Amino acid sequence: MEKRIYPAPPQQVYLFGTCLIDLFVPEAGMDALRLLEQAGVAVDFPMGQSCCGQPAYTSGNEASARTVAAAQMALFQEDWPIVVPSGSCAGMMRHHWPKLFAADPVLGPRAKVLAERTFELTEFLVEVLKVDFAALHAQSTVAPPPIKVALHTSCSARREMGTRSHGLALLRALPGVELVEQKNEAECCGFGGVFSLKHPDISGAMVADKTAAIEASGCDQLVSADAGCLCNIGHAAEHQGRALKVEHLASFVARRLRGEAQS
Amino acid sequence: MSTQTTTQPLQFHPSADFKNRSREALADTKLRQNFRGAMDFLRGKRSAQFPDENELENLRDLGEAVRKHALRNLPQLLEKLETQLTANGVQVHWAETAEEANAIIHGIAVGRGAKSVIKGKSMASEEIELNDYLGERGITCVESDMGEYVVQLAHEKPSHIVMPAIHKTKGDIAELFHEEIPDTPYTEDVDELIQIGRKTLRQMFVDADIGLSGVNFAIAETGTLWLVENEGNGRLSTTIPNTHIAIMGIEKVVEKLEQVIPLASLLTRSATGQAITTYFNLISGPRRPGELDGPREVHLVLLDNGRSQAFEDAELRATLQCIRCGACMNHCPVYARLGGHAYGTVYPGPIGQIISPHLLGLDDTRDLPTASSLCGACAEVCPVRIPIPQLLIRLRTEAQRNPGEAVAHRLKGQGASYSLGEQLVWKFWTGAYAHPSLHRIFRWLATRLRAFAPKQQMGWTRFRTPLQPAERSLHDLMAERKGNRL
């Protein structure tokens, strides 16, 4: 993976909330906003945003993906970084938008520019803003009780965006948070967007192994910076009757900083 | 043979029944345990071979460059290879299809009055189903690679391209040998089992009229066939019988001898976690006057069988970079759970999912490109950096395309998964997500009518509780925040 050179902290950023967070985990989007604001950055959430186009792109519907992606590209007129609380959607915008528009003389160069300005949330907090979470935590009046968490890193966050280290760095900076590692931690949870609908049996077998491994890790809860994995793992655990709590990393960190034990 | 291990029907292409076979494979707990254990073991072996990440990445760069260079010059290199091999006394044959390759090999066998063929390991020969073709014409083929021998004895097909019998436990093989090889006592001692196989095969090398092998790399400049193996059966198959026939896909050519060094290192370390294999055979022609051993004649069959289709497309050409190490399947979460047979193709796992559509057409392989979460574990370990997830997306695109659409490089079976219903869904989705005003209505409906979210959501709810939209969308929350501030 190419080593990314990070810019100096900006005054203002765009927040791209992603379609899954928008409808299913909206609180994670608000917590991403709070973390950015807490770090002293003004946040603009363009109200015209919807989805990066990935569902259509990965299922082989390029034209649909292009139409939806182009509608998002028009929203980011200012020269601000685009922060995305999802490794998967950030990966789509950073690595696949330029390919999707490679043959387009206008949108092709534009996609390249936007790709350069796209950051996954934890990557942005750690590498660009260099937020001192331990210091922020110290300001909090209440210390939340110690907790054991397992981190699930989405495949795109791990392999496309290289942001597993940032998620780990965030969690390690928080006092009272003990990280435990589940078996086969690097293996896919089986979500894969339309894969979970086209090949439910295989996807189901993968997520069953994942929930079992997470439970066996002895964690109090699971965190992940990707809503797709969270929905997959959380709803599978619920279906299996496991008492496994899952939470977006942004919400977990924001909650610990507020000194709250439970969401 | 243990009855529990044969739940998967062994019908190779068409792979149309992939979903049923994968469901059966997932339900076979013994099979899943076998594969999980084997894949964990192989992942560990590979990773132990590459302790230095920089060295690995540099080597992968080199491997990719060598393969890309060879493919850029493929037609010229194949001609050069033919010229050099011919000068070395090797007879070169070109086969456009599996049928042609079989007919060529059969023709050579008939010309020598051959009754039996001893085979070293060759996936290309599996691809053309040579054993069946010759068998139907009265010529016996015996597999001499231990894994292939086990699979042949069990009347099965390989479940892995490097370790064909990896789906079998030593108990399965003990039972198989006891039942199929005369006067063999039941033993689970692995060394004893290997000795039994070895003893049985030894005389067959001497008796065989023809030795058949695959090829790992063919070097154009020197006219050399490079064959990697661990058991010595490859060397015996290619030196004892009077006639040696090698078969390879046209993509396996490399320009220079020194270019094979990084590839060979990547191959053995990625495949079995070995720094080097026990045998490296460099075959440069038949026995020369005055030499005491070696075959009297050597043939090479160059097989296309659909590879040209991948070659002609700038993006899909990367498929042909493959050096058949099998690391992609060893690291694939889907393969680790299904095993190789469920794919229904000779090449299973990620490499099978990207090459099979060219060999068989998208009609027969339509479920393979979608059988991936695009997790990227395959591309992460691929020694020659084939962008497998990217190629899977491309194949999905070609399978979804309107069959009637004219494109620059039309793939066999274009539009095999084209469905008006799905197109309608995407049309609706595109409308709802590309237009902010429509998306606002969509969000409003989804959140306000959340209580009516369906309880059955296609495959999702077979293993998960249903998805239900939040009471208020992130857009709602953001609008409220802006309102508060004003």
Side-chain angles (χ1 to χ4, degrees):
Chain A
M1 198 176 309
E2 102 271 40
K3 286 266 176 293
R4 189 166 188 183
I5 298 158
Y6 292 100
Q11 301 286 313
Q12 176 131 23
V13 297
Y14 285 116
L15 179 65
F16 187 76
T18 84
C19 62
L20 283 179
I21 285 183
D22 194 12
L23 278 186
F24 299 106
V25 207
E27 204 47 46
M30 294 309 286
D31 286 320
L33 173 112
R34 289 180 193 121
L35 290 176
L36 290 165
E37 286 186 340
Q38 231 171 332
V41 181
V43 179
D44 184 75
F45 181 86
M47 291 300 274
Q49 64 177 273
S50 60
C51 169
C52 64
Q54 186 176 187
Y57 177 69
T58 53
S59 61
N61 294 276
E62 273 190 351
S64 292
R66 241 180 247 120
T67 308
V68 169
Q72 317 307 308
M73 287 162 68
L75 302 169
F76 308 112
Q77 291 302 323
E78 302 294 335
D79 192 19
W80 306 328
I82 305 159
V83 180
V84 189
S86 156
S88 178
C89 312
M92 174 72 191
M93 296 160 73
R94 183 161 164 74
H95 298 288
H96 300 282
W97 276 8
K99 280 185 235 165
L100 200 51
F101 294 101
D104 189 316
V106 179
L107 289 176
R110 179 82 187 135
K112 276 189 192 164
V113 169
L114 292 176
E116 279 309 306
R117 276 167 39 199
T118 299
F119 300 86
E120 188 271 339
L121 173 71
T122 63
E123 170 189 36
F124 193 76
L125 291 170
V126 172
E127 298 282 0
V128 180
L129 300 183
K130 298 186 170 56
V131 179
D132 186 348
F133 283 97
L136 281 180
H137 188 272
Q139 291 168 14
S140 156
T141 46
V142 213
I147 189 167
K148 274 196 252 185
V149 297
L151 172 70
H152 173 76
T153 306
S154 78
C155 298
S156 335
R158 177 188 303 275
R159 303 197 176 96
E160 254 179 10
M161 294 299 290
T163 56
R164 176 170 180 262
S165 60
H166 305 122
L168 285 174
L170 273 185
L171 292 171
R172 283 187 183 132
L174 296 174
V177 174
E178 187 194 333
L179 265 166
V180 292
E181 194 175 300
Q182 62 276 32
K183 202 174 164 227
N184 292 320
E185 182 258 345
E187 206 166 79
C188 178
C189 72
F191 177 59
V194 288
F195 168 70
S196 60
L197 301 177
K198 293 227 174 199
H199 297 279
D201 295 286
I202 306 173
S203 170
M206 286 165 72
V207 73
D209 288 347
K210 187 56 80 183
T211 52
I214 294 166
E215 196 171 73
S217 75
C219 67
D220 296 315
Q221 73 161 90
L222 176 83
V223 297
S224 175
D226 269 88
C229 310
L230 284 175
C231 288
N232 184 38
I233 296 170
H235 285 265
E238 197 173 61
H239 189 262
Q240 298 154 4
R242 295 183 197 272
L244 176 65
K245 180 178 150 52
V246 304
E247 190 177 23
H248 195 282
L249 188 61
S251 294
F252 177 78
V253 173
R255 191 161 59 73
R256 293 296 290 189
L257 293 180
R258 288 198 299 272
E260 290 170 20
Q262 289 295 319
S263 55
Chain B
M1 184 170 58
S2 150
T3 46
Q4 294 97 312
T5 56
T6 56
T7 53
Q8 298 175 58
L10 293 167
Q11 290 163 343
F12 273 48
H13 51 85
S15 69
D17 212 18
F18 173 75
K19 286 186 182 176
N20 285 333
R21 278 196 307 270
S22 60
R23 202 169 299 136
E24 279 178 41
L26 289 167
D28 188 335
T29 39
K30 183 171 170 236
L31 183 89
R32 279 187 65 181
Q33 274 170 6
N34 290 358
F35 270 95
R36 183 81 244 186
M39 294 307 109
D40 286 347
F41 175 72
L42 287 166
R43 290 177 196 182
K45 291 262 284 179
R46 175 193 171 272
S47 112
Q49 275 297 324
F50 295 112
D52 180 343
E53 203 192 333
N54 283 335
E55 191 249 335
L56 167 62
E57 296 311 321
N58 290 339
L59 199 55
R60 290 174 78 206
D61 286 343
L62 204 55
E64 180 190 21
V66 167
R67 292 299 299 136
K68 277 197 147 67
H69 172 77
L71 291 173
R72 255 195 311 275
N73 303 291
L74 189 61
Q76 301 90 307
L77 287 185
L78 284 170
E79 279 176 25
K80 196 169 184 181
L81 177 69
E82 181 178 27
T83 309
Q84 276 308 320
L85 282 170
T86 309
N88 293 349
V90 176
Q91 299 172 56
V92 179
H93 312 264
W94 300 80
E96 203 174 312
T97 61
E99 174 66 32
E100 272 182 40
N102 279 325
I104 290 166
I105 295 169
H106 181 243
I108 298 168
V110 169
R112 300 335 167 254
K115 286 274 160 269
S116 65
V117 175
I118 190 89
K119 289 180 69 194
K121 196 175 159 350
S122 156
M123 287 310 292
S125 77
E126 293 284 351
E127 181 185 326
I128 62 172
E129 299 180 314
L130 177 69
N131 294 4
D132 293 341
Y133 187 94
L134 292 183
E136 285 160 15
R137 287 157 184 80
I139 299 168
T140 318
C141 291
V142 177
E143 297 288 350
S144 68
D145 171 89
M146 195 56 67
E148 289 279 355
Y149 178 65
V150 166
V151 163
Q152 187 181 31
L153 215 52
H155 307 288
E156 294 181 5
K157 297 274 186 180
S159 60
H160 188 287
I161 63 169
V162 177
M163 286 144 285
I166 196 134
H167 56 292
K168 292 211 169 297
T169 61
K170 60 184 176 184
D172 296 335
I173 295 168
E175 212 169 315
L176 178 71
F177 279 15
H178 175 58
E179 283 176 14
E180 298 289 330
I181 305 173
D183 306 323
T184 304
Y186 182 93
T187 172
E188 287 191 12
D189 183 296
V190 174
D191 286 335
E192 273 184 48
L193 286 169
I194 290 173
Q195 286 310 318
I196 294 165
R198 190 166 181 254
K199 224 173 68 195
T200 316
L201 287 167
R202 193 51 54 141
Q203 191 56 39
M204 296 180 183
F205 286 111
V206 180
D207 295 341
D209 304 305
I210 290 176
L212 190 129
S213 76
V215 176
N216 291 97
F217 310 106
I219 299 113
E221 198 177 62
T222 55
T224 308
L225 306 178
W226 185 302
L227 189 60
V228 171
E229 50 137 351
N230 276 314
E231 298 168 11
N233 67 307
R235 182 158 298 174
L236 291 175
S237 311
T238 57
T239 51
I240 297 183
N242 275 332
T243 305
H244 167 215
I245 305 172
I247 176 166
M248 65 175 242
I250 49 169
E251 79 278 23
K252 291 217 165 177
V253 66
V254 169
E255 186 179 10
K256 294 169 189 287
L257 193 57
E258 66 259 33
Q259 291 173 343
V260 178
I261 309 299
L263 293 182
S265 174
L266 282 165
L267 173 62
T268 63
R269 292 158 87 187
S270 303
T272 47
Q274 292 174 283
I276 188 170
T277 45
T278 318
Y279 294 87
F280 269 14
N281 304 295
L282 277 69
I283 300 163
S284 313
R287 181 191 300 202
R288 290 182 173 81
E291 286 182 346
L292 296 177
D293 54 13
R296 307 268 173 195
E297 53 181 307
V298 177
H299 299 261
L300 176 68
V301 179
L302 288 163
L303 177 69
D304 184 324
N305 200 29
R307 287 164 175 79
S308 288
Q309 174 177 285
F311 175 75
E312 281 158 17
D313 184 279
E315 184 181 32
L316 296 170
R317 182 180 288 184
T319 312
L320 303 179
Q321 281 165 223
C322 179
I323 57 172
R324 302 286 189 273
C325 70
C328 59
M329 53 198 78
N330 298 346
H331 290 76
C332 176
V334 175
Y335 179 89
R337 284 170 180 81
L338 296 183
H341 288 154
Y343 291 82
T345 48
V346 170
Y347 305 97
I351 180 60
Q353 289 169 270
I354 59 169
I355 188 98
S356 305
H358 301 293
L359 308 185
L360 304 169
L362 277 164
D363 278 318
D364 283 346
T365 56
R366 73 188 72 181
D367 283 330
L368 296 184
T370 54
S372 163
S373 65
L374 304 176
C375 77
C378 49
E380 188 176 47
V381 295
C382 176
V384 290
R385 297 192 192 280
I386 302 174
I388 299 174
Q390 196 64 45
L391 300 181
L392 287 170
I393 292 176
R394 173 67 193 284
L395 291 167
R396 292 177 186 187
T397 305
E398 299 307 325
Q400 295 273 333
R401 205 184 280 289
N402 189 323
E405 189 181 331
V407 290
H409 297 283
R410 188 186 174 86
L411 300 193
K412 191 177 162 199
Q414 171 182 314
S417 303
Y418 180 78
S419 126
L420 279 174
E422 266 189 53
Q423 289 304 310
L424 203 67
V425 170
W426 285 113
K427 226 177 193 138
F428 173 79
W429 180 86
T430 309
Y433 279 82
H435 303 97
S437 50
L438 290 179
H439 193 243
R440 193 163 58 212
I441 298 169
F442 173 72
R443 282 194 311 267
W444 192 90
L445 289 171
T447 49
R448 271 52 171 194
L449 303 179
R450 62 192 290 270
F452 302 102
K455 297 286 168 276
Q456 298 298 318
Q457 300 171 347
M458 298 200 283
W460 178 267
T461 37
R462 292 248 302 282
F463 301 96
R464 301 165 197 84
T465 50
L467 284 168
Q468 188 182 33
E471 283 175 33
R472 283 182 302 165
S473 69
L474 178 61
H475 279 81
D476 291 337
L477 299 177
M478 287 287 176
E480 185 181 85
R481 164 180 165 271
K482 275 188 184 164
N484 287 346
R485 281 196 168 178
L486 285 174

